[in-house]
Amino acid sequence: MRSQLAIKYPLQAKFLISMAVILAIMIQLLISNSLDDNIKKINFVIGILVLLFIVGAITVALFRSAGKPKTLLLEPGKLVLEGKEVSAADIQGVWINERWYGIKLKQRRIVPMQLCFVLQPRQPAGEPELLQWAEEHSIPVEQRFFIRWM
């Protein structure tokens, strides 16, 4: 069985809201502390680095979710996503959390960012195809919460 699914990376509103709140707090702290003469330079530099990390995380999340739909190929014995092949033997399970799908690899503790996606709404046959592929390769499918990084 070889099939092609259109997928999109989910926009995680909770993540974006929490990062925006932390960003606002960090900016406020940097502004108020930068006016103080007794501020240590190392704290200011660490604050700037945290600020840059937060801005980078928000930017990556927005670009991933705003991009064109990607293609997930279901081939015998493997998945192909953005040119990267994942062997069915390396997959611990397919996890479903609400509308998000995650492919959990055996050697990873969390679902990798590239393997967390939502199916395009215009493709209602995508879920049965993915579940059938998992069943054919003896990969368990579970409805459960999973940690997604960005």
Side-chain angles (χ1 to χ4, degrees), residues 1-9 68-75 78-83 94 96 99 101-103 114-115 117-134:
M1 173 179 107
R2 180 184 167 105
S3 57
Q4 183 173 338
L5 305 177
I7 63 169
K8 197 151 176 81
Y9 295 117
K68 289 192 270 184
K70 308 290 187 231
T71 302
L72 174 67
L73 293 174
L74 304 174
E75 296 183 351
K78 65 182 175 182
L79 293 174
V80 180
L81 179 61
E82 297 184 46
V94 176
I96 304 170
R99 62 186 185 106
Y101 292 83
I103 310 251
Q114 299 88 357
L115 297 178
F117 54 87
V118 292
L119 295 172
Q120 287 294 93
R122 65 178 187 273
Q123 192 173 14
E127 182 176 7
E129 290 179 16
L130 181 61
L131 299 180
Q132 180 184 359
W133 180 89

Side-chain angles (χ1 to χ4, degrees), residues 1-35:
M1 173 179 107
R2 180 184 167 105
S3 57
Q4 183 173 338
L5 305 177
I7 63 169
K8 197 151 176 81
Y9 295 117
L11 178 64
Q12 299 174 5
K14 287 187 263 184
F15 171 77
L16 290 176
I17 291 169
S18 63
M19 283 291 139
V21 168
I22 293 172
L23 180 66
I25 292 170
M26 285 300 300
I27 290 172
Q28 176 64 30
L29 287 173
L30 287 174
I31 290 172
S32 65
N33 286 339
S34 65
L35 300 175

Side-chain angles (χ1 to χ4, degrees), residues 11 26-27 31 41 50-51 53 65 86 88 97 100 107 115 118 124-125 143-144:
L11 178 64
M26 285 300 300
I27 290 172
I31 290 172
K41 289 181 182 179
V50 169
L51 190 71
F53 174 77
S65 65
V86 179
N97 181 14
W100 289 287
Q107 69 270 20
L115 297 178
V118 292
Q143 295 250 345
R144 62 178 284 179

